[in-house]
Amino acid sequence: MNTRSINIKKNKLLYPIYYAMGIMVHFLIFFIKIFAPKAFCSKLDKLEKNSTFNNILGLTLFNAIGGLIVMITNIKIANMLGASIFGIYTYYLAVGEVGQNFVRYGRNKTMTRDLVQCPEKFENLISNTFVLGFLNIILFIIVLLLFHGALDLDVSVLTFMLILAPCLHSVDFQPVYESMKQMGWHSLYVLLQKVIYLLAILVAVFTFDGLNIYYLGVALFFSWFIVDLMQFKEIIGQLLIGILYFCIYIPKSTVQHLNICKFITDVFPKYSDRFIWYKKYIRMSSGFAPRTPFQRLSVLWANLPLLRNSSYAKH
């Protein structure tokens, strides 16, 4: 069973919203108890103490608000673009939804199961699936370039940003949050994406003469990019996972001839006495170690969250 967890209170932006929504839900339950039969109230008391029930409530609430925002956003976009241009917009999004399923490749279900059943592979599962998702995005881009004529797609960076925006939803950390029973917290990130997108549209409405597909592509792409980046910082930063490091495999026979700590102290001699933590985290005995200078720098870059959370960063 997965025992990893994150401290959601560190998110100064979202936690107050999450806490306020929780209070609203409890008040709602309180008023239901006033008018509900006693038998129903006793069952509700038991459910309220269950963390899974609270997660489901949060998930339902945030998804409901998100659905309302999507409806308002699409109505506004349709009115601004007109029927023909809105049809092109929805077609590009439909292509992006196909890519979203390709990039996701079922990881939202299988990864959650594996994280719960195989906690010893926690870091490897996260890093490997994360990198594989981005490789799938690259493959999807190649397919779009090869068949853009058949798909009647405009080959431009801005058009591709609109198509690829839904794909970014597939490389978020939803399975990780689900394995830690934080479904409600993750649904708040999805709600944040919808709010950012709606605000970008409102800014365009009140600032420019009108909307166009290219502006919508940039807004939708960066709304997902910002949310994914926030999740990346939270998961990687708090759980201390090096994405690139765990994706590099070097045979055990070569590990004994390498000394990554020596490499680091050569680069940062000032902190040579404080890098003993690094040897603990790179797990030399597991059979993973960098072999080339590029791989060494990749390992160092990937483990920057460890560096920031180490004792030396506090000095």
Side-chain angles (χ1 to χ4, degrees):
M1 184 177 179
N2 180 26
T3 57
R4 303 293 185 94
S5 63
I6 57 171
N7 185 4
I8 61 177
K9 294 182 180 180
K10 289 186 176 182
N11 192 320
K12 304 301 183 182
L13 173 64
L14 295 183
Y15 181 73
I17 301 173
Y18 186 78
Y19 183 76
M21 290 293 185
I23 294 177
M24 289 176 57
V25 170
H26 286 299
F27 270 112
L28 179 61
I29 294 175
F30 174 76
F31 283 111
I32 291 174
K33 289 179 181 178
I34 295 176
F35 303 101
K38 290 184 178 180
F40 180 78
C41 289
S42 61
K43 292 181 180 180
L44 199 58
D45 286 333
K46 293 179 181 179
L47 288 174
E48 196 175 1
K49 296 176 182 178
N50 192 323
S51 60
T52 302
F53 176 73
N54 292 327
N55 266 302
I56 293 174
L57 281 179
L59 185 65
T60 304
L61 178 63
F62 293 131
N63 284 343
I65 298 174
L68 180 63
I69 292 176
V70 169
M71 183 180 69
I72 295 173
T73 303
N74 286 335
I75 292 173
K76 191 64 181 178
I77 292 174
N79 290 335
M80 295 291 294
L81 293 181
S84 59
I85 304 300
F86 183 73
I88 298 173
Y89 166 79
T90 54
Y91 171 68
Y92 285 165
L93 284 184
V95 175
E97 292 290 340
V98 174
Q100 181 184 56
N101 292 326
F102 173 76
V103 173
R104 191 179 292 273
Y105 63 91
R107 68 186 279 270
N108 56 320
K109 303 299 181 185
T110 58
M111 185 179 175
T112 303
R113 179 199 63 202
D114 292 339
L115 287 173
V116 173
Q117 295 181 353
C118 307
E120 71 279 1
K121 298 180 181 179
F122 192 85
E123 293 88 351
N124 286 297
L125 285 169
I126 293 177
S127 59
N128 291 337
T129 54
F130 184 80
V131 173
L132 184 57
F134 275 100
L135 291 177
N136 285 343
I137 290 179
I138 295 173
L139 290 176
F140 182 60
I141 293 174
I142 294 173
V143 171
L144 293 179
L145 291 173
L146 291 176
F147 298 99
H148 71 275
L151 295 172
D152 195 20
L153 299 176
D154 177 28
V155 180
S156 68
V157 174
L158 298 178
T159 301
F160 272 54
M161 289 180 75
L162 176 59
I163 295 173
L164 294 176
C167 298
L168 293 181
H169 182 33
S170 294
V171 293
D172 70 353
F173 290 89
Q174 177 184 353
V176 183
Y177 287 106
E178 290 181 352
S179 70
M180 296 185 294
K181 297 182 180 181
Q182 294 285 357
M183 296 87 76
W185 181 249
H186 175 264
S187 65
L188 184 56
Y189 276 111
V190 179
L191 175 61
L192 176 64
Q193 180 273 325
K194 293 176 173 61
V195 171
I196 293 174
Y197 188 43
L198 177 60
L199 290 177
I201 292 172
L202 293 177
V203 168
V205 169
F206 291 107
T207 306
F208 310 115
D209 295 332
L211 293 175
N212 58 64
I213 290 180
Y214 302 116
Y215 176 85
L216 292 174
V218 173
L220 185 60
F221 182 89
F222 278 103
S223 66
W224 274 118
F225 179 80
I226 291 171
V227 169
D228 283 353
L229 191 63
M230 291 176 65
Q231 293 182 44
F232 181 91
K233 180 182 178 182
E234 185 171 66
I235 296 296
I236 302 303
Q238 291 197 33
L239 300 181
L240 304 178
I241 299 172
I243 291 296
L244 290 184
Y245 159 66
F246 284 103
C247 295
I248 300 174
Y249 173 74
I250 305 297
K252 289 184 179 180
S253 59
T254 64
V255 173
Q256 57 185 348
H257 302 295
L258 298 168
N259 190 339
I260 184 64
C261 292
K262 183 178 183 302
F263 167 76
I264 296 173
T265 53
D266 288 343
V267 176
F268 301 101
K270 181 179 177 181
Y271 307 109
S272 59
D273 60 331
R274 298 170 184 165
F275 270 101
I276 189 170
W277 60 270
Y278 198 91
K279 191 172 183 179
K280 172 185 175 183
Y281 286 117
I282 64 172
R283 302 183 182 181
M284 297 287 286
S285 60
S286 65
F288 291 88
R291 180 164 45 188
T292 66
F294 173 76
Q295 288 176 343
R296 291 174 179 176
L297 290 174
S298 298
V299 170
L300 186 60
W301 178 85
N303 284 278
L304 282 179
L306 303 180
L307 191 62
R308 289 195 299 270
N309 288 278
S310 67
S311 58
Y312 110 84
K314 300 177 182 178
H315 289 266

